[in-house]
C-alpha cells in the first residue's frame, strides 16, 4: 500500500466516524435520536468551539503550558528509563535486588499519586511533570531493559573476540539492539506524558488543556469537552511525528518492511 493510499484510508476513517456522529446526533432514525445532543454534542458544534478558541487566542496559553509539562515529563521520564534500564540489564545482581520494588512502584495507581505530588510540589507545573514522569519512566524502562537483555549472544561473543571494551560493546552492540525497543516505547510514552500532564491539570490547576476540559465539564459544555479532547489528540499526534522523525534518523541502518 502506497503512502498516498494509506493517507486516503486514514482520512476516510475519520470522515466516516464524524459523519456518523453528526448523523446520529442531529437526524432522528426510526423515530428516535440515537445519540442525544445534550450528552454527545455534534461535530459541527465541536469544530465551532475549536475555531473560537484559536480565533480568540485563548487556547495558546493552555497549549503552551500543557506542551511544556508534557515535554519535561517525556524527556525526564525517557532519560531515566533509558539510563536505569541499561544499568539494570548490564547489572543482573542490581536488577534482582530491586526487581520487587520496581514492580511494586509500577503497580501503584497514578491517579492516587497526583494529590501527593500536588501536596509536595504545589499547583505549578512540577506536580504535573512528576505525574507524567511516573507514567513515562516505566514504559521506557521495561522496553530498554528487555531490548538489552535480548541482544544477540552471537554478536556479543563476536564483539568480545574482536577485543571490544565494555564501552565499545554498549555503543556498537547493546545500544543498536535496544533502539528498536526504545523507540517502540517512546511512541507510547508520548501519549502517557500528555495524559499525566492533563490529568494533573484536571485535578488541580489554573491553566492547561486539562483545566479547559474540567471547566467545560463543570458547566455541562459537552462540545467544549470533546473540543479539548480533539485538540489534545492532535497535539499528541504532532509530538509522535517528531519522535518518528528522530527514529528514522537513528535507525537509518534498519531495513524497512515493505507493505503489501
Amino acid at each position: 500500500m502506497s503512502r498516498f493510499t494509506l493517507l486516503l484510508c486514514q482520512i476516510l476513517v475519520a470522515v466516516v466516524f464524524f459523519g456518523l456522529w453528526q448523523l446520529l446526533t442531529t437526524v432522528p432514525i426510526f423515530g428516535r435520536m440515537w445519540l442525544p445532543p445534550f450528552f454527545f454534542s455534534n461535530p459541527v458544534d465541536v469544530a465551532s468551539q475549536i475555531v473560537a478558541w484559536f480565533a480568540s487566542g485563548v487556547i495558546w496559553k493552555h497549549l503552551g503550558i500543557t506542551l511544556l509539562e508534557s515535554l519535561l515529563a517525556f524527556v525526564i521520564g525517557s532519560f531515566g528509563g533509558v539510563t536505569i534500564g541499561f544499568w539494570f540489564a548490564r547489572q543482573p545482581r542490581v536488577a534482582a535486588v530491586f526487581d520487587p520494588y520496581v514492580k511494586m512502584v509500577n503497580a501503584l495507581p497514578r491517579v492516587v499519586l497526583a494529590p501527593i505530588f500536588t501536596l509536595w510540589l504545589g499547583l505549578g507545573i512540577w506536580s504535573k511533570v512528576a505525574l507524567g514522569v511516573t507514567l513515562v519512566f516505566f514504559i521506557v524502562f521495561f522496553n530498554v531493559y528487555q531490548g538489552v537483555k535480548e541482544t544477540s549472544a552471537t554478536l556479543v561473543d563476536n564483539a568480545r573476540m574482536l577485543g571490544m571494551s565494555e564501552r565499545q560493546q554498549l555503543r556498537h552492540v547493546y545500544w543498536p539492539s535496544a533502539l528498536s525497543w526504545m523507540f517502540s516505547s517512546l511512541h507510547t510514552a508520548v501519549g502517557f506524558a500528555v495524559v499525566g500532564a492533563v490529568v494533573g491539570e484536571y485535578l488541580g490547576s489554573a491553566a492547561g488543556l486539562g483545566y479547559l476540559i474540567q471547566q467545560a465539564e463543570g458547566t455541562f459544555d459537552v462540545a467544549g469537552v470533546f473540543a479539548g479532547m480533539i485538540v489534545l489528540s492532535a497535539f499528541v499526534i504532532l509530538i509522535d511525528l517528531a519522535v518518528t522523525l528522530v527514529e528514522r534518523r537513528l535507525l537509518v541502518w534498519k531495513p524497512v518492511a515493505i507493505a503489501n
Side-chain angles (χ1 to χ4, degrees), residues 94-226:
V94 174
V97 170
F98 285 96
D99 179 69
Y101 301 103
V102 170
K103 292 178 179 177
M104 180 179 66
V105 175
N106 184 44
L108 292 175
R110 303 307 191 272
V111 176
V112 174
L113 295 175
I116 297 176
F117 289 140
T118 301
L119 181 64
W120 290 346
L121 303 172
L123 293 173
I125 68 169
W126 290 109
S127 58
K128 286 74 176 176
V129 171
L131 183 60
V133 167
T134 63
L135 292 168
V136 171
F137 171 83
F138 288 102
I139 296 172
V140 178
F141 166 79
F142 286 117
N143 276 271
V144 170
Y145 177 80
Q146 193 64 30
V148 175
K149 293 289 287 184
E150 293 198 4
T151 301
S152 172
T154 303
L155 287 177
V156 175
D157 291 340
N158 289 339
R160 288 172 178 168
M161 287 176 61
L162 292 172
M164 282 189 178
S165 64
E166 179 68 17
R167 178 177 295 182
Q168 289 173 323
Q169 290 180 45
L170 286 175
R171 178 180 177 183
H172 298 290
V173 180
Y174 291 106
W175 176 247
S177 175
L179 272 180
S180 295
W181 288 79
M182 184 184 76
F183 276 106
S184 176
S185 67
L186 290 181
H187 286 291
T188 305
V190 165
F192 278 95
V194 178
V195 166
V198 171
V199 169
E201 292 168 353
Y202 184 88
L203 295 176
S205 70
L209 288 178
Y211 170 79
L212 275 184
I213 294 173
Q214 192 272 338
Q215 290 295 302
E217 185 181 271
T219 58
F220 298 98
D221 180 10
V222 181
V225 173
F226 279 110

Side-chain angles (χ1 to χ4, degrees), residues 12 20 24 48 88 101 109 113 131 158 169 176 200 205 213 223 232 249-250:
L12 180 61
L20 285 174
L24 296 175
S48 298
F88 275 28
Y101 301 103
L113 295 175
L131 183 60
N158 289 339
Q169 290 180 45
S205 70
I213 294 173
L232 182 62
R249 178 68 181 85
L250 292 179

Side-chain angles (χ1 to χ4, degrees), residues 56-70:
S56 64
V58 68
I59 191 69
W60 297 113
K61 172 187 174 182
H62 300 286
L63 268 176
I65 291 174
T66 301
L67 174 62
L68 177 61
E69 294 167 349
S70 302

Side-chain angles (χ1 to χ4, degrees), residues 13-23 43 230:
V13 170
V15 169
V16 170
F17 173 78
F18 287 109
L20 285 174
W21 182 8
Q22 181 70 26
L23 176 68
I230 289 174

